[in-house]
Amino acid sequence: MKTPRFLGMAIVAVMLSAFATSCDDDDDDDNSQPVTSEDGVVVNQKKLVKIVEYEEEREGSYFDIEVDTIVLRYDSKGRLIRLEQEHYEPEGSGFVCRSYTESYTWAENSITVHYNDGGYTGDFTYALSDNLVTRRTHPDYDGDAYQYDSDKRIAITTEIDGSYTNEYYYSWEGDRMVKFSESGSADYVFNYSGKTCKGYIPLIGGCVDDLAVVHPELFGVRTNQLPDYEISRDKYGYENRNELSYTFYSDGYLESVTQTYENGRYYKKVTYFWE
């Protein structure tokens, strides 16, 4: 799977982990089951409008910081139409900012994305069937194919590039993604204790695709179940436990996810804004 362009959210080995506190359980409209439009997008819950990710790495005298800010815009039907990212990273004695944008055009059973990566532009397309994404085509490689289980949850993603293929497998227990595996490479096992939030947790969508972070319902990954921790195991037997903590807004929506992993070498905080 090509690494997602914004935030690199599909790198699960550095994403999902441990301690969580439960959300408020206010009895309002957001406690209802998600209602979808004819386009398959949820229309009765808050939408993610901004993401701020702060990440630092420390090892000996080495110290590195990167910051990403993403603004998300929607049309009157609640469909994502614009993504604007600014990525800040150290350069010399200061920081350099790199910009990236995506514009989304929705049609019947397809979504076309036009991107601008610092002046380099292009297009890729999602194909949908029964309001689920089945294929992602890209000019730089053949694309990705998506398969679903009987509950319409993502089951397999196949990356195709000429004669090369790579597969990713997803296992579910109800609304919980309990395992994510990359063929011949690594397994990631998610552990739960029943903690939830209002709306959904964007990190689970990040295991699949960029668009799944914003519209997880189009990939069968919309869930409000919060993992307590995640154990990653690579093909050489190396095992790592990723620790994670949550904060919430007063209405129970997820405000931030803070992660510390590899014995404190890495620290990441992702903050979410909803409307």
Side-chain angles (χ1 to χ4, degrees):
M1 182 186 304
K2 303 295 183 181
T3 302
R5 178 58 183 82
F6 80 83
L7 293 189
M9 287 183 173
I11 307 301
V12 187
V14 297
M15 287 201 324
L16 298 174
S17 310
F19 176 77
T21 56
S22 61
C23 308
D24 292 344
D25 193 23
D26 298 336
D27 187 16
D28 57 25
D29 291 341
D30 289 294
N31 277 327
S32 62
Q33 290 295 317
V35 174
T36 58
S37 68
E38 61 182 9
D39 297 299
V41 302
V42 172
V43 294
N44 68 327
Q45 295 183 348
K46 287 186 174 182
K47 295 196 174 298
L48 188 59
V49 295
K50 186 178 180 180
I51 305 170
V52 177
E53 180 178 288
Y54 171 89
E55 183 172 7
E56 65 180 46
E57 177 184 359
R58 297 173 180 268
E59 186 172 18
S61 60
Y62 176 79
F63 180 67
D64 182 61
I65 294 176
E66 294 188 11
V67 180
D68 283 274
T69 299
I70 295 172
V71 175
L72 304 163
R73 308 184 189 279
Y74 301 84
D75 64 13
S76 60
K77 295 182 178 181
R79 305 175 303 186
L80 179 67
I81 57 171
R82 179 79 173 174
L83 178 151
E84 301 170 354
Q85 176 188 10
E86 290 186 344
H87 174 77
Y88 295 86
E89 61 183 43
E91 185 172 285
S93 59
F95 282 82
V96 62
C97 175
R98 295 181 171 85
S99 63
Y100 177 79
T101 63
E102 290 180 345
S103 299
Y104 291 72
T105 302
W106 294 67
E108 185 175 359
N109 293 326
S110 70
I111 306 169
T112 300
V113 184
H114 178 76
Y115 62 89
N116 186 327
D117 188 359
Y120 176 75
T121 62
D123 299 274
F124 58 89
T125 302
Y126 294 98
L128 295 89
S129 176
D130 195 22
N131 289 333
L132 290 173
V133 173
T134 57
R135 184 76 182 223
R136 180 179 187 258
T137 58
H138 195 282
D140 294 337
Y141 68 110
D142 292 337
D144 302 296
Y146 305 91
Q147 300 178 50
Y148 299 87
D149 63 21
S150 59
D151 295 320
K152 296 186 176 181
R153 290 291 190 184
I154 188 69
I156 304 173
T157 298
T158 304
E159 177 189 351
I160 307 166
D161 193 0
S163 60
Y164 167 84
T165 62
N166 195 31
E167 291 189 319
Y168 301 80
Y169 304 94
Y170 308 87
S171 299
W172 294 83
E173 293 180 359
D175 288 340
R176 298 175 177 177
M177 182 187 288
V178 295
K179 188 176 181 181
F180 166 69
S181 301
E182 180 179 358
S183 58
S185 180
D187 294 327
Y188 309 94
V189 178
F190 310 136
N191 295 265
Y192 298 81
S193 63
K195 299 174 178 67
T196 63
C197 65
K198 292 283 186 64
Y200 70 95
I201 173 172
L203 286 180
I204 297 297
C207 300
V208 181
D209 188 272
D210 283 357
L211 184 58
V213 173
V214 183
H215 287 306
E217 58 274 15
L218 298 181
F219 296 82
V221 291
R222 190 179 183 95
T223 178
N224 67 349
Q225 302 293 314
L226 304 177
D228 288 330
Y229 61 93
E230 175 259 322
I231 301 294
S232 62
R233 301 181 182 92
D234 66 19
K235 62 182 179 180
Y236 303 106
Y238 174 78
E239 183 174 295
N240 185 58
R241 175 167 170 152
N242 298 319
E243 303 296 333
L244 177 131
S245 62
Y246 304 99
T247 64
F248 305 92
Y249 292 103
S250 60
D251 60 3
Y253 276 82
L254 191 60
E255 179 181 25
S256 70
V257 179
T258 300
Q259 305 156 71
T260 305
Y261 43 96
E262 291 198 9
N263 297 320
R265 177 183 175 187
Y266 293 99
Y267 169 88
K268 180 187 289 186
K269 182 176 182 179
V270 184
T271 304
Y272 303 103
F273 300 84
W274 309 83
E275 288 184 2

